Amino acid sequence: MIVVNHPLVRVHMTIIRDQESTVDQFRSHLTALAHLMAFPVLQDLATESVRVHTPLAETGGERLLYEPVLVPILRAGLGLVEGFRDLIPRSIVSHLGMYRDHRTKKPVRYYSNFPLNCQAHPFVLLDPMLATGGSAVDALDYLKQEGAQDIRLVSIIAAPPGVALVESRHPDVKIFTAALDEKLDHNAYIVPGLGDAGDRQFGTLE
Ligand code: PRP
Ligand code: URA
């Protein structure tokens, strides 16, 4: 697991943790975190050489060999999509619908749309919260079953049980997070965390 340690990450993180932050503040600072996370997450993307004509001369350049496939876990993962797409505008977005059953805390998958002929592309699984790890493991099982080979997992806040579960079930998947928090509470919410990431982005708090 890689904890992305940068002063700007810590500053934006403080705002999204703050219970006084509004929905629009939460969304814009989450997007800023996605921008900052994209650099380490994508730093080993494969490129190929191209030639380019400047107004003065021809020179060498590069383009991505494969466009990344962004896989947001609905709903909360949606908040990381635009930040990544700002930097990789041709990335493919493959939504994965999943919610955590309130009683069992287990993920329930309700929607998927794996892109055609993309098995060789790098996959970036997006979900701000890695709590028990159940949702991430189920999503990774699904992506691998569909043929994805290169998968990175991006979370914003991770808890130790979630990291341990993903590392044991999918040791080949690199986990990137902006913070490793202390623990889970009795409802399997991350403490200190930020509360319910879906509700805070979409204003569905009671
Ligand atoms: C949240 C979050 C993750 C999951 C993490 O989703 O976005 O998908 O919980 O928990 P886990 O690691 O214990 O599986 P939630 O069920 O709240 O759905 P929502 O995004 O639609 O609100
Ligand atoms: N899902 C959330 O949105 N927050 C948590 O703390 C745990 C799971």
Side-chain angles (χ1 to χ4, degrees):
M1 180 202 33
I2 293 163
V3 180
V4 178
N5 189 11
H6 187 287
L8 293 179
V9 167
R10 298 193 294 272
V11 167
H12 290 293
M13 177 67 81
T14 305
I15 296 164
I16 66 165
R17 283 191 194 277
D18 187 346
Q19 63 176 353
E20 301 300 331
S21 292
T22 58
V23 169
D24 56 321
Q25 285 174 318
F26 189 92
R27 287 176 49 230
S28 67
H29 291 276
L30 187 59
T31 296
L33 283 167
H35 289 146
L36 292 163
M37 297 294 283
F39 284 80
V41 170
L42 304 173
Q43 71 175 356
D44 62 347
L45 284 188
T47 60
E48 60 186 354
S49 300
V50 292
R51 302 296 295 169
V52 62
H53 295 267
T54 78
L56 301 180
E58 184 185 341
T59 186
E62 289 178 55
R63 68 175 167 217
L64 290 177
L65 190 56
Y66 294 111
E67 291 297 335
V69 180
L70 306 177
V71 185
I73 299 184
L74 307 180
R75 294 175 298 168
L78 287 174
L80 297 172
V81 172
E82 287 316 312
F84 274 77
R85 281 196 117 192
D86 287 341
L87 303 177
I88 32 173
R90 292 188 183 173
S91 54
I92 298 151
V93 183
S94 169
H95 297 89
L96 193 51
M98 208 179 267
Y99 66 88
R100 212 170 62 156
D101 182 277
H102 282 293
R103 196 176 50 81
T104 64
K105 318 285 186 271
K106 301 275 183 234
V108 180
R109 205 189 307 156
Y110 60 85
Y111 179 78
S112 61
N113 67 345
F114 194 89
L116 276 181
N117 303 323
C118 282
Q119 282 80 357
H121 291 233
F123 282 72
V124 185
L125 183 60
L126 299 172
D127 193 333
M129 308 308 277
L130 178 59
T132 65
S135 306
V137 164
D138 187 75
L140 292 167
D141 289 345
Y142 162 77
L143 292 176
K144 287 185 179 176
Q145 180 191 311
E146 295 294 329
Q149 290 149 26
D150 168 356
I151 315 174
R152 306 114 206 261
L153 167 61
V154 180
S155 79
I156 294 299
I157 303 184
V163 174
L165 188 69
V166 173
E167 285 182 342
S168 70
R169 299 281 288 278
H170 293 284
D172 57 308
V173 172
K174 237 187 215 175
I175 306 171
F176 294 85
T177 189
L180 179 64
D181 274 11
E182 190 190 329
K183 60 181 183 187
L184 298 178
D185 72 4
H186 63 285
N187 287 318
Y189 272 82
I190 300 175
V191 179
L194 52 73
D196 188 300
D199 286 340
R200 294 206 56 194
Q201 282 179 65
F202 296 109
T204 45
L205 280 173
E206 292 151 36

